[in-house]
Amino acid sequence: CSQNETSKTCIYIGDTGNNDAKSCRDRDCKKGRDRVNVYKFVEPDLSDEKEEKIQVWTLKLSYDHLDLPTKRADSESMFVDPTGDHKGGKPGDIYIITKFKGNEHLE
């Protein structure tokens, strides 16, 4: 979950929606947001009745990468890889699922 909380489970909440970017087809498009947020926090123990503040980390993500066809994207969902893989993926990698209608190379 974090460097200090290695044995804890984290919850991720994505604020990644970007409907205004639906019509973006190239890197010159300025509609919608170019950055989105993912909030991360240690899963609280709900069986404990005492109130405690929860530390929330805000992860700011940008769609502006040269390997993407636009600087904006209409995101539909996200997931966090819990295990990683043998090709370089690491536990905790965040994947944002977007839709680029009409871009066959992304299907």
Side-chain angles (χ1 to χ4, degrees), residues 80-97:
V80 179
D81 183 351
T83 62
D85 63 29
H86 66 281
K87 294 185 178 184
K90 298 179 183 67
D93 282 353
I94 297 172
Y95 294 83
I96 307 293
I97 311 303

Side-chain angles (χ1 to χ4, degrees), residues 14-22 24 29-39 61-64 70-75:
D15 176 16
T16 61
N18 203 10
N19 286 337
D20 290 339
K22 280 183 195 178
C24 289
C29 183
K30 302 263 189 256
K31 295 180 182 176
R33 302 188 290 170
D34 63 342
R35 296 183 187 275
V36 295
N37 296 316
V38 174
Y39 304 100
L61 306 175
S62 171
Y63 287 120
D64 190 7
T70 71
K71 292 182 182 179
R72 312 281 198 276
D74 184 15
S75 171

Side-chain angles (χ1 to χ4, degrees), residues 57-79:
W57 294 274
T58 302
L59 310 171
K60 297 177 184 286
L61 306 175
S62 171
Y63 287 120
D64 190 7
H65 294 278
L66 293 177
D67 58 341
L68 294 176
T70 71
K71 292 182 182 179
R72 312 281 198 276
D74 184 15
S75 171
E76 289 301 306
S77 60
M78 63 170 260
F79 68 92

